[in-house]
């Protein structure tokens, strides 16, 4: 059992990334964590990591111990889940990664509800605006826009979404008619600033002819690296926004925003839950992904096939 404890300790240490962070997570002193790591290395006869109090870098042996140890612990947990007393009870760690906006709005409350139903789950939700590798970062599930190119990952669609071109009704009333995406070059657009770019390229598909696509470089006086800020600026009438359906459907339903350019539509931006393909996917991972599929549709109404005029009726 001590060996399994050591494996679990090293998993936590590697994922925390430093001795200090591990001590904080475990609720013990920094010296206790450092001492335990030294004892583990002494028992194994190899150095597992070079470290300072702020940073941990795994050696080649440490990387091997981390990878093989994770597989051993996973198999042990899967074995326990198949035993009678664990068949109806989900338990164990569940590490999830998502983007800030979608993670706060939808993933966090669903994780909260899921953990309330299954108190044995140890849930961790980490948010960032950069996609992270599941294996390298130790995540069980990643929430991504679009399907992953890596065939070794399983992708389950949890939400159908699309980019929506929209503006406040007051601003829309002052705009000359938009007939094609290229007309946007003459208007103030609200830019979601990514990768330090000073412009954005918006892509559209002709309604009824998805193969016909246009890309247009847009610009404007206001920008942000946060989608929620962009929606706020659009609501205040500062410009035209291109935002995901999940983010603006409420404002379209209330009439606070109206959809523009009805003959064209933004490209699809479906959300998928991805996880590593393996012989035995832990029950807690399968259960949470199924829960996302079941509950997400209750939080975001289905996409509408035509333009939304902000009539006040729920889309």
């Amino acid at each position: 059992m001590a060996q399994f404890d050591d494996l679990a300790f090293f998993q936590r240490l590697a994922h925390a990334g430093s001795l200090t962070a591990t001590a904080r997570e475990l609720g013990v002193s920094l010296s206790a964590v450092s001492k335990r790591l030294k004892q583990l290395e002494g028992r194994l006869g190899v150095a597992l990591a070079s470290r300072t109090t702020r940073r941990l870098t795994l050696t080649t042996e440490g990387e091997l111990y981390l990878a093989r140890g994770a597989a051993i612990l996973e198999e042990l947990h899967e074995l326990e889940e198949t035993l009678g007393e664990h068949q109806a009870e989900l338990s164990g760690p569940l590490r999830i990664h998502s983007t800030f906006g979608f993670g706060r709005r939808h993933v966090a409350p669903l994780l909260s509800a899921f953990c309330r139903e299954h108190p044995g789950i140890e849930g961790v939700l980490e948010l960032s605006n950069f996609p992270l590798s599941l294996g390298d970062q130790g995540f069980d599930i990643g929430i991504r826009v679009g399907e992953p190119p890596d065939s070794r990952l399983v992708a389950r669609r949890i939400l159908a979404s699309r980019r929506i071109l929209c503006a406040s009704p007051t601003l829309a009333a002052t705009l000359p008619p938009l007939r094609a995406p290229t007309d946007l070059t003459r208007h103030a657009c609200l830019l979601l600033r990514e990768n330090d770019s000073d412009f954005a390229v918006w892509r559209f598909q002709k309604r009824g002819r998805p193969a016909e696509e246009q890309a247009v470089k847009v610009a404007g006086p206001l920008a942000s690296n946060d989608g929620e800020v962009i929606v706020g600026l659009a609501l205040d009438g500062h410009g035209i926004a291109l935002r995901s359906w999940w983010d603006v459907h409420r404002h379209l339903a209330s009439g606070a925003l109206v959809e523009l350019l009805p003959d064209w539509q933004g490209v699809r931006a479906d959300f998928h839950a991805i996880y590593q393909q393996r012989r035995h996917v832990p029950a807690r991972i399968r259960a949470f992904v199924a829960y996302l599929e079941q509950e997400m549709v209750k939080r975001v109404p289905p996409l509408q096939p035509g333009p939304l005029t902000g009539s006040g009726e729920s889309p």
Side-chain angles (χ1 to χ4, degrees):
M1 290 303 297
Q3 291 174 322
F4 287 123
D5 288 343
D6 283 343
L7 287 173
F9 164 74
F10 194 71
Q11 295 290 315
R12 188 180 290 265
L13 180 73
H15 293 151
S18 72
L19 300 177
T20 302
T22 305
R24 189 182 306 115
E25 287 187 12
L26 295 176
V28 299
S29 67
L30 177 62
S31 60
V33 173
S34 179
K35 180 180 179 181
R36 182 164 183 183
L37 179 56
K38 288 179 181 177
Q39 290 174 339
L40 174 59
E41 290 177 323
R43 180 173 69 80
L44 297 175
V46 295
L48 297 175
S50 59
R51 63 269 195 184
T52 66
T53 55
R54 294 186 177 183
R55 183 174 177 81
L56 193 78
T57 303
L58 300 188
T59 62
T60 301
E61 292 78 11
E63 294 282 2
L64 178 62
Y65 190 68
L66 176 67
R68 295 290 297 276
I72 291 171
L73 290 172
E74 195 62 68
E75 287 195 14
L76 177 63
H77 197 86
E78 289 169 4
L79 173 61
E80 292 180 345
E81 283 185 338
T82 64
L83 300 180
E85 64 181 16
H86 290 279
Q87 284 182 348
E89 178 183 339
L90 297 177
S91 62
L94 187 62
R95 289 174 52 84
I96 305 156
H97 177 268
S98 181
T99 56
F100 278 110
F102 192 78
R104 288 195 195 107
R105 181 85 60 82
H106 296 297
V107 182
L110 289 179
L111 177 62
S112 173
F114 185 79
C115 289
R116 190 180 301 114
E117 292 182 16
H118 306 285
I121 294 292
E122 303 163 23
V124 175
L125 175 60
E126 186 165 322
L127 305 179
S128 75
N129 282 331
F130 301 97
L132 300 179
S133 168
L134 296 184
D136 294 343
Q137 301 294 327
F139 290 107
D140 299 304
I141 300 171
I143 310 300
R144 301 281 191 274
V145 179
E147 297 188 37
D150 192 336
S151 60
R152 294 170 297 179
L153 298 175
V154 178
R156 298 279 293 275
R157 190 171 75 175
I158 60 173
L159 178 66
S161 189
R162 186 182 291 282
R163 312 271 186 216
I164 305 293
L165 190 71
C166 55
S168 70
T170 303
L171 177 63
T174 66
L175 297 175
L178 294 173
R179 295 183 174 85
T182 51
D183 293 340
L184 291 169
T185 59
R186 301 193 298 270
H187 298 285
C189 295
L190 301 170
L191 308 186
L192 184 63
R193 188 67 58 79
E194 295 178 310
N195 303 322
D196 297 323
S197 175
D198 292 328
F199 61 88
V201 176
W202 290 356
R203 292 178 171 82
F204 299 89
Q205 295 171 334
K206 188 76 170 178
R207 287 191 185 273
R209 286 182 281 175
E212 187 175 338
E213 184 172 309
Q214 280 193 18
V216 58
K217 185 185 294 186
V218 298
L222 289 173
S224 175
N225 67 340
D226 185 84
E228 190 172 334
V229 172
I230 295 296
V231 173
L233 292 172
L235 290 168
D236 290 340
H238 287 289
I240 298 172
L242 184 68
R243 295 297 301 148
S244 292
W245 167 250
W246 70 265
D247 200 18
V248 295
H249 70 89
R250 297 168 302 155
H251 304 305
L252 293 165
S254 69
L257 292 174
V258 295
E259 188 177 6
L260 305 176
L261 203 58
D263 292 336
W264 293 81
Q265 56 190 11
V267 297
R268 292 197 69 91
D270 296 342
F271 280 82
H272 290 80
I274 64 172
Y275 53 91
Q276 290 182 324
Q277 197 169 52
R278 61 185 91 174
R279 186 177 59 179
H280 299 294
V281 177
R284 62 188 181 277
I285 294 178
R286 288 186 280 107
F288 185 66
V289 172
Y291 187 75
L292 289 175
E293 290 179 295
Q294 170 188 305
E295 298 298 319
M296 198 67 72
V297 70
K298 301 176 184 178
R299 301 178 63 87
V300 181
L303 278 165
Q304 293 294 298
L308 301 164
T309 59
S311 62
E313 297 179 1
S314 179

